[in-house]
Amino acid sequence: MKQRILTAVIAAAIFIPFVIYGKIPFILLTYLMATIALYELLKMGKQSIFSIQGVLSVLLLWVVLWPDKYIHTIERFGFEKLEYIFVITLLYLSYSVLTKNAFTFEKIGFHVISSLYVGMGFHYFIEVRSIGLTYVFYALLIIWATDSGAYFVGRALGKNKLWPEISPNKTVEGALGGIICALIVAILFSVFSNMDLSTIKLLVIAVILSIFGQIGDLAESAYKRHFGVKDSGNILPGHGGILDRFDSLLFVLPLLYFFNQL
């Protein structure tokens, strides 16, 4: 427990100033975290990032991550972001031919989905920060409240397993406790923040984000169980890897961005 707390304090001391400042330093930090997360996911699938296919995956990730604010810098060459993604996909397929199918179609799918899954989640981390710092903290606190509520309510009242085949310790009661704690965070934001969203909308969004945050956590649990690993990595002692800390946010941040556009 002491190690978890110490790691959390040190990570927050590094992470939060970048989030508050924003701009290019925050974007660079996001690129770094996303690249580490991709490395962790490929490693779980017994694929090396230090390979031709790994380099292609990093390139795909970086293209997907590219902030909307600076999209003109890559479109000046006559290609849109989706077209860059398509070209990289063709390079995967070409490499499959060159390796005489040693790099199989299934492996191509794993690499592409890994890059898109990590890339889209962290891309919307950048985009939500561009909307406003308050929105980032709203997402973070919704997830932290959901995780804490699910843990403590589950330990105190949990009887009915939520999804034992994927995560045997999670309970229905814990999941509901997480949603209730997320609603409390939404109420506090409606009173004390300057978010341009009505109280009703904040509450509805909180419920949806809490649910999908838990689905994001279960999704990572599912592929860790599939690959037979306990944690995605060990870069954060006591907490696992970057993916272990951002699994919920990769689901939540795109949704929060979309809801803000409605």
Side-chain angles (χ1 to χ4, degrees):
M1 180 60 72
K2 289 182 180 179
Q3 186 183 55
R4 286 179 61 87
I5 294 173
L6 180 61
T7 300
V9 170
I10 294 173
I14 297 172
F15 175 71
I16 292 177
F18 278 91
V19 175
I20 293 174
Y21 185 76
K23 303 177 184 178
I24 297 298
F26 171 71
I27 293 173
L28 292 176
L29 177 64
T30 303
Y31 262 75
L32 175 62
M33 292 189 300
T35 304
I36 294 171
L38 178 63
Y39 165 79
E40 293 172 347
L41 188 50
L42 293 181
K43 185 178 179 182
M44 280 193 283
K46 296 180 174 56
Q47 296 292 302
S48 174
I49 201 171
F50 305 107
S51 61
I52 292 177
Q53 60 266 37
V55 170
L56 289 174
S57 295
V58 172
L59 288 175
L60 178 56
L61 173 75
W62 289 356
V63 170
V64 174
L65 280 171
W66 202 264
D68 293 346
K69 181 180 179 180
Y70 301 106
I71 197 66
H72 63 280
T73 60
I74 62 172
E75 290 183 346
R76 68 175 60 177
F77 300 104
F79 298 99
E80 296 181 357
K81 180 186 274 193
L82 185 61
E83 292 170 326
Y84 282 104
I85 293 171
F86 179 64
V87 168
I88 294 172
T89 303
L90 293 181
L91 291 175
Y92 278 122
L93 294 168
S94 299
Y95 184 61
S96 176
V97 173
L98 292 174
T99 62
K100 299 179 181 179
N101 210 34
F103 181 55
T104 63
F105 194 80
E106 288 79 7
K107 290 178 181 177
I108 294 173
F110 174 67
H111 277 258
V112 171
I113 291 174
S114 296
S115 296
L116 292 178
Y117 161 57
V118 174
M120 291 301 290
F122 278 102
H123 168 77
Y124 283 106
F125 195 17
I126 296 171
E127 297 307 314
V128 169
R129 178 61 185 86
S130 71
I131 297 173
L133 181 61
T134 305
Y135 286 82
V136 175
F137 283 115
Y138 178 72
L140 291 172
L141 288 172
I142 287 290
I143 293 304
W144 291 339
T146 297
D147 288 346
S148 298
Y151 176 76
F152 289 110
V153 173
R155 281 178 63 90
L157 304 174
K159 293 181 180 179
N160 300 290
K161 298 296 184 181
L162 179 65
W163 211 312
E165 296 84 1
I166 293 177
S167 186
N169 294 325
K170 288 182 170 57
T171 63
V172 174
E173 293 82 3
L176 293 175
I179 293 172
I180 291 171
C181 289
L183 285 171
I184 293 172
V185 169
I187 292 170
L188 292 174
F189 267 81
S190 71
V191 175
F192 297 108
S193 79
N194 60 352
M195 292 179 72
D196 190 23
L197 296 169
S198 68
T199 300
I200 296 297
K201 194 170 183 179
L202 277 173
L203 293 172
V204 172
I205 291 173
V207 171
I208 296 173
L209 296 187
S210 181
I211 291 171
F212 275 90
Q214 294 184 65
I215 291 174
D217 183 55
L218 286 168
E220 201 213 0
S221 295
Y223 56 72
K224 284 194 296 187
R225 184 171 288 270
H226 173 73
F227 292 125
V229 299
K230 182 180 182 294
D231 295 315
S232 66
N234 54 15
I235 193 171
L236 300 170
H239 292 266
I242 295 294
L243 270 179
D244 292 314
R245 293 300 90 206
F246 281 84
D247 52 2
S248 296
L249 281 168
L250 293 181
F251 276 59
V252 162
L253 289 166
L255 288 173
L256 179 57
Y257 181 84
F258 298 153
F259 283 130
N260 184 67
Q261 305 305 307
L262 296 178

